[in-house]
Amino acid sequence: MERNFNLDENTGKLYLATSSKIDKDESFKLYVEARDDGSPPLSSIATVMVNVINQHNNPPNIDVNFISTQNHNTATILEDIKVGSFIAYVMVTDNDVGHNGEVNCHIKDDTFKLQSMGSKEYKIVLKKAVDRETQEHYHFTVSCEDKGLPALKTDKDLSIQVLDVNDVEPHFTKDTFKFLTYENDKANFPIGFINATDPDIGKGGELSYSLRNKQQYRLPFQIINSGFISTNQSLDREHRDFYEFEVFVKDNGSPSLNNTVNVEVEVLDRNDNAPYFTFPSVDPFTLNVHYHPQSKNDITVLKASDIDSHMNAFLRYEIVSGNERQLFKLDSFTGVLSYSRTVYQNDAGSYELEFVVKDSGTPVLSATTSVSLTLTVSNKTSPMFTAVHLPSDNTIDATLLIIIVVAAVIVSIAIVVSITLCIVRCNNVRNSSSERTAEEKQAYQCRNEMRQLIYQGNNSVPVMSGNRGEMSDRYGHSRSHYYPEDWKTSTMSRSLPKSMKQKYSQPIEVTSYGDNRPSSHYPTDTLTSRKSSGQCWSERSSRQYEEIPAMSGIYGGAPPDVSSSSERDHYQDRYVKPPERQLPSTPDVVVS
């Protein structure tokens, strides 16, 4: 107590020590002794009661005690703690009197709250659930304020860390993982990566993978803890081209959580299988074919197969050999074997055909087969082969091309020469025709049918009835007649004297009378003769004919200048009788 008060020895004054600090109301009991300086000295003791009344306003003091502490101001809680759980104890002290000592405390936070336990005592509890994977640390402040004038306030910062609990199962980034890989790769070839996550920490975030097979076949795959899937043997697409299985993943927490995901692996094809013929099924194959003109062009269909897929199984067909005569063609895509040209009788025989089928892969694989084809041809087909052989692949032979060019040049030259000759002839005809008389030009202009011939006679005029046939006079007597052609080609015409030929060179119609009545008159009027060409007659020039005495002797009368009977008989035999063979002549006008 002496440190709080001082006493003057001479005057007996009692006062507070300057270094003394009294923050609260206290009562002090002091014993003061008074002594004189006599001998012996005498003394007396008095009791002094000192009541200290605090007139100061001090801020409150906050003291927090956590259930689980990491350091002085940080507490730890598990993320699976229940709502309303007790977290920390808070005690507030304020030694002021009156309103200066009355204190209110609170915190501003959505996760935690402060509940009063009595006078200046509080507890902190959990207001809502916490999730470490969402928020791992929480910071808030406890504030306490008295009711003095002025009011004094004290804040204390607190921190709470949420500890992890293995409450989250592993999660895959996809519902189904799909991978592609090629066949024939070596073992341990990587297929793909399975991506799974676990937000837990520690053991709860450590994952382990394994394969689960739903099928009956053995899986040729393996997986490691990092999630990589690889093969444990070489794959064969022709054996199996699709695999489906599950990947199982679990964490190492306590308790352990797990999950599964579907995995699909498609095996892509490599061109590792050659095509093969399904028809013909044997090598060599014998095929007998009979051809007749009504036969269809198709002969048979070659078929092949390839166990590879896509472009590796896209097949093309070709004829390798045996088709030197270019009689057959083969469709590259359908395999249809047919005739490439007309089949002739000399095409009959045996053909050793060799075919090849190729795929479209890389590298190209192929297969060959032989067909022994025997062709029989119907007798109704053309006996000779005259078609031009075309080389394979629709190309034209160089020799054939030269022949075509030479033939075209020769034909062109012949046409040019013909045109030139025609022009020359036309010029000559045009020059010669200009020299002809007007009468001759008029004779050639029109071709009309000869309608009538006017003969001058004693009592009758012969009339020609149309074309070849009989003629009748006005008395109705039937008369046979010679045509100008017969007249011109007859022996008599050739045997007449030269003077008569010149005078009577024009063809005339001659009438034979049944009553041997001489025809002593011949036409002296205009005689129009025409040359028949179908129904068209070329008009000849009109000429005047005089009377020919005794010409009727040709048809029964005495021949001219013939007096004796023997000579007349000879003349009749020679000229009147129809000649057995007529010699060719060049008449001026031929009537057909």
Side-chain angles (χ1 to χ4, degrees):
M1 298 299 178
E2 295 178 357
R3 66 178 182 276
N4 296 323
F5 302 96
N6 290 327
L7 181 62
D8 190 344
E9 295 180 351
N10 296 317
T11 62
K13 291 182 179 178
L14 184 64
Y15 51 90
L16 288 174
T18 57
S19 62
S20 177
K21 292 183 180 180
I22 301 174
D23 296 330
K24 57 183 179 178
D25 294 342
E26 293 185 9
S27 295
F28 296 93
K29 188 176 182 180
L30 301 178
Y31 296 96
V32 177
E33 179 183 15
R35 179 180 295 182
D36 55 21
D37 292 328
S39 177
L42 297 175
S43 64
S44 177
I45 298 175
T47 303
V48 178
M49 301 295 297
V50 178
N51 293 324
V52 178
I53 299 173
N54 189 2
Q55 298 292 332
H56 299 287
N57 185 13
N58 299 309
N61 182 37
I62 302 173
D63 188 14
V64 179
N65 295 319
F66 294 101
I67 296 177
S68 177
T69 59
Q70 185 175 3
N71 53 46
H72 181 67
N73 290 326
T74 302
T76 58
I77 60 175
L78 297 175
E79 61 176 331
D80 61 347
I81 188 173
K82 296 181 179 180
V83 176
S85 297
F86 180 78
I87 296 175
Y89 173 75
V90 178
M91 183 179 64
V92 182
T93 57
D94 191 343
N95 294 325
D96 294 338
V97 296
H99 293 289
N100 294 339
E102 296 179 2
V103 179
N104 288 325
C105 298
H106 63 276
I107 59 176
K108 293 181 178 180
D109 191 81
D110 296 335
T111 306
F112 304 95
K113 66 179 179 179
L114 187 66
Q115 291 181 352
S116 177
M117 297 177 60
S119 176
K120 299 181 181 179
E121 293 182 357
Y122 299 90
K123 65 178 180 179
I124 299 175
V125 297
L126 185 65
K127 185 177 180 180
K128 65 178 183 179
V130 294
D131 184 7
R132 190 203 65 84
E133 288 74 28
T134 303
Q135 185 173 350
E136 186 176 0
H137 290 87
Y138 293 88
H139 300 278
F140 58 94
T141 300
V142 177
S143 298
C144 294
E145 184 179 14
D146 60 19
K147 297 180 180 181
L149 290 176
L152 299 179
K153 179 181 178 182
T154 302
D155 294 330
K156 190 175 183 67
D157 295 329
L158 301 179
S159 177
I160 296 179
Q161 181 181 1
V162 181
L163 302 180
D164 182 61
V165 175
N166 191 27
D167 56 346
V168 180
E169 63 182 14
H171 175 71
F172 291 99
T173 56
K174 297 180 181 179
D175 295 334
T176 300
F177 287 87
K178 297 181 180 180
F179 302 106
L180 300 176
T181 186
Y182 279 97
E183 64 175 335
N184 302 334
D185 288 324
K186 296 181 179 179
N188 297 321
F189 187 82
I191 301 298
F193 175 69
I194 299 296
N195 187 16
T197 58
D198 192 333
D200 294 329
I201 60 176
K203 294 293 183 179
E206 296 177 0
L207 304 179
S208 299
Y209 297 89
S210 61
L211 301 181
R212 288 187 175 182
N213 187 12
K214 294 181 179 180
Q215 310 299 329
Q216 300 298 326
Y217 52 81
R218 178 179 175 273
L219 288 178
F221 306 106
Q222 59 189 3
I223 190 170
I224 58 178
N225 285 337
S226 60
F228 278 101
I229 299 178
S230 60
T231 60
N232 55 23
Q233 66 182 38
S234 180
L235 302 179
D236 185 5
R237 192 204 67 86
E238 287 71 35
H239 175 69
R240 184 174 297 278
D241 61 350
F242 185 78
Y243 294 90
E244 185 177 10
F245 54 91
E246 287 184 347
V247 170
F248 176 80
V249 62
K250 67 175 182 177
D251 59 27
N252 295 327
S254 181
S256 177
L257 302 178
N258 58 74
N259 201 353
T260 58
V261 69
N262 293 323
V263 178
E264 297 177 358
V265 178
E266 182 178 356
V267 182
L268 301 180
D269 182 58
R270 294 186 188 274
N271 194 27
D272 56 346
N273 294 280
Y276 59 91
F277 281 95
T278 58
F279 180 83
S281 57
V282 295
D283 187 12
F285 182 79
T286 301
L287 182 64
N288 298 321
V289 180
H290 178 73
Y291 177 84
H292 55 84
Q294 290 76 28
S295 297
K296 293 183 179 180
N297 198 35
D298 295 343
I299 301 174
T300 187
V301 180
L302 302 181
K303 295 182 180 180
S305 182
D306 194 328
I307 60 177
D308 291 327
S309 64
H310 300 96
M311 293 302 295
N312 296 330
F314 186 76
L315 305 180
R316 295 171 295 172
Y317 301 87
E318 297 178 8
I319 300 178
V320 179
S321 62
N323 193 28
E324 289 77 10
R325 302 184 68 177
Q326 300 297 314
L327 180 58
F328 307 101
K329 66 178 180 179
L330 182 64
D331 192 288
S332 300
F333 303 105
T334 63
V336 175
L337 180 65
S338 58
Y339 299 108
S340 61
R341 57 173 174 80
T342 304
V343 179
Y344 299 91
Q345 288 185 3
N346 60 343
D347 289 323
S350 297
Y351 297 87
E352 298 296 331
L353 300 176
E354 185 178 1
F355 303 98
V356 64
V357 59
K358 300 178 181 180
D359 60 24
S360 302
T362 303
V364 176
L365 302 179
S366 62
T368 59
T369 188
S370 300
V371 175
S372 179
L373 190 147
T374 302
L375 177 64
T376 59
V377 180
S378 172
N379 293 331
K380 296 181 180 181
T381 57
S382 179
M384 295 185 65
F385 176 72
T386 59
V388 178
H389 288 281
L390 291 179
S392 59
D393 298 333
N394 296 326
T395 58
I396 300 178
D397 187 77
T399 304
L400 177 60
L401 183 60
I402 294 174
I403 293 173
I404 294 174
V405 173
V406 172
V409 172
I410 293 173
V411 172
S412 301
I413 294 174
I415 293 174
V416 173
V417 171
S418 300
I419 294 174
T420 304
L421 293 176
C422 289
I423 294 173
V424 172
R425 288 179 180 177
C426 289
N427 292 332
N428 293 334
V429 171
R430 191 175 299 170
N431 294 331
S432 62
S433 63
S434 62
E435 298 174 358
R436 293 180 182 177
T437 64
E439 181 183 359
E440 290 175 344
K441 291 182 180 180
Q442 183 179 3
Y444 281 93
Q445 289 178 356
C446 177
R447 294 184 180 184
N448 297 319
E449 183 180 358
M450 183 184 295
R451 299 183 180 276
Q452 62 181 1
L453 293 175
I454 304 174
Y455 292 90
Q456 293 181 358
N458 293 328
N459 297 318
S460 62
V461 178
V463 180
M464 184 173 68
S465 57
N467 297 329
R468 294 185 182 185
E470 295 183 347
M471 299 178 66
S472 60
D473 59 6
R474 62 185 178 182
Y475 298 101
H477 298 285
S478 175
R479 298 168 177 81
S480 61
H481 60 277
Y482 282 91
Y483 293 99
E485 182 179 2
D486 298 332
W487 167 260
K488 294 297 289 185
T489 59
S490 65
T491 307
M492 185 185 71
S493 174
R494 295 195 303 273
S495 301
L496 289 176
K498 183 176 181 181
S499 60
M500 295 180 65
K501 287 183 180 180
Q502 293 176 354
K503 187 175 183 179
Y504 307 107
S505 59
Q506 295 299 325
I508 61 174
E509 294 291 340
V510 181
T511 305
S512 176
Y513 296 92
D515 53 0
N516 295 323
R517 181 169 36 185
S519 176
S520 60
H521 292 82
Y522 281 81
T524 58
D525 200 356
T526 302
L527 174 64
T528 304
S529 64
R530 297 175 178 86
K531 181 180 179 180
S532 172
S533 176
Q535 294 298 324
C536 183
W537 298 77
S538 61
E539 182 179 3
R540 299 289 293 175
S541 61
S542 300
R543 297 180 184 273
Q544 297 292 329
Y545 292 86
E546 299 177 356
E547 181 181 357
I548 302 177
M551 277 300 292
S552 61
I554 298 175
Y555 301 101
D561 299 332
V562 179
S563 59
S564 63
S565 61
S566 61
E567 291 178 355
R568 182 169 59 250
D569 295 336
H570 174 73
Y571 189 85
Q572 293 283 350
D573 295 336
R574 185 174 181 181
Y575 297 102
V576 175
K577 293 182 181 179
E580 295 179 359
R581 181 170 63 86
Q582 295 180 353
L583 296 176
S585 61
T586 58
D588 292 337
V589 178
V590 178
V591 181
S592 58

